[in-house]
Amino acid sequence: MYAFADSLSDIGALKEMTGGKASNIASGKLSIETFVDNLIKTVIDQLEQLRQIGFKNIFVCQMAPIQYTPVMKILNMTTTMEKTANLFNEKMPKELDAWSNSSSDLNSVVVAEVGKLVEVALTSKAIFKVLGISNSDKPCINGDVSGFATAENKLVELLNFAYNVPDSQVCDDPSKYLFLDVLHPTERLHRMLGYVAFEMIGAIQQGSQLDITEANILEIIKKYKLGTPVSKPAKI
């Protein structure tokens, strides 16, 4: 059995960072080190549950560089989030090794370089071009987000914003945008990340490793024609 574990990209880290932890870190009430240590413990506990269910091969994603998302710019947390992601990705493999070495029934536990993948993708003009993305600065869903920075529950505030935004503040063609809203990438970037992750797993299963480079990502985009519109429902 295989499991591909999301190592707290936006599901976990952003939930934590936007749910009150961000302000605690910014004010000095909570150190980045303590936050990361607690986050890693949570991940290991969840992986242990997968092992107990019966999964034998586990791929664990790095934390994505979510400092590039518009929401982190709004919160003025780009530097803090960069330090957090870097520290998490530095410490996680060591803790993962310790856990996997104590679990004799696992076949393989691999850290997938999703953090590096996302960073290369979000900073490459060449990748934007072949994907047809012409706007990487502003999200497709625009509008007044001034209340986001001061909201007590930022996830609820984000949902309220997304559901109540007027049609006049929504772009005509989301495929040309990097971000759908202040947090989430649009469909083409999501598809690209999915196919690259698929190729990464395939390489690991063959005993090799996919080098996360701009050239290799562009080759995968070409291979799966990811710069063209996708039929609905999408098929992989």
Side-chain angles (χ1 to χ4, degrees):
M1 298 176 71
Y2 287 83
F4 195 89
D6 186 335
S7 189
L8 293 302
S9 53
D10 66 334
I11 299 297
L14 274 172
K15 181 179 179 181
E16 291 290 315
M17 292 299 285
T18 59
K21 298 297 194 309
S23 59
N24 287 340
I25 292 175
S27 66
K29 294 180 180 179
L30 178 66
S31 70
I32 292 176
E33 291 76 12
T34 299
F35 173 77
V36 167
D37 288 343
N38 291 339
L39 205 52
I40 290 174
K41 183 181 183 303
T42 299
V43 174
I44 296 297
D45 288 345
Q46 292 173 345
L47 294 177
E48 176 60 22
Q49 293 179 37
L50 291 176
R51 186 194 68 80
Q52 292 179 11
I53 291 172
F55 286 95
K56 303 294 185 183
N57 304 279
I58 298 177
F59 301 92
V60 183
C61 299
Q62 291 177 328
M63 183 187 291
I66 52 181
Q67 65 267 20
Y68 291 106
T69 59
V71 65
M72 286 301 158
K73 295 179 181 178
I74 294 170
L75 294 174
N76 196 27
M77 292 287 292
T78 53
T79 300
T80 298
M81 197 61 242
E82 181 178 10
K83 291 179 180 178
T84 302
N86 289 342
L87 183 61
F88 181 94
N89 292 337
E90 176 187 334
K91 299 183 74 170
M92 185 62 193
K94 301 173 185 176
E95 298 298 326
L96 197 60
D97 283 344
W99 169 73
S100 61
N101 289 336
S102 66
S103 307
S104 58
D105 55 342
L106 291 170
N107 294 334
S108 64
V109 179
V110 179
V111 177
E113 290 186 302
V114 172
K116 183 178 179 181
L117 163 61
V118 175
E119 184 154 23
V120 171
L122 292 183
T123 56
S124 169
K125 292 182 179 180
I127 290 176
F128 290 165
K129 183 177 180 179
V130 296
L131 287 177
I133 294 173
S134 57
N135 194 322
S136 60
D137 297 323
K138 295 181 179 180
C140 171
I141 300 176
N142 231 315
D144 183 13
V145 293
S146 58
F148 190 82
T150 56
E152 182 175 349
N153 191 319
K154 293 177 173 56
L155 287 179
V156 171
E157 180 69 19
L158 176 62
L159 289 173
N160 287 336
F161 167 76
Y163 281 114
N164 296 310
V165 66
D167 291 343
S168 60
Q169 296 294 329
V170 180
C171 70
D172 293 330
D173 188 357
S175 69
K176 295 181 180 180
Y177 284 72
L178 178 60
F179 289 100
L180 180 63
D181 53 30
V182 295
L183 176 58
H184 300 96
T186 48
E187 178 186 68
R188 288 197 181 182
L189 186 62
H190 265 131
R191 288 189 73 221
M192 186 210 73
L193 296 176
Y195 276 101
V196 176
F198 173 74
E199 291 285 336
M200 290 169 67
I201 293 174
I204 292 171
Q205 290 175 329
Q206 297 298 320
S208 60
Q209 186 172 349
L210 176 69
D211 290 331
I212 304 301
T213 64
E214 181 182 75
N216 283 343
I217 294 175
L218 289 171
E219 185 62 31
I220 291 171
I221 292 173
K222 179 181 178 181
K223 177 180 178 180
Y224 294 104
K225 300 179 180 179
L226 302 180
T228 58
V230 62
S231 59
K232 303 293 188 302
K235 295 180 180 180
I236 294 181

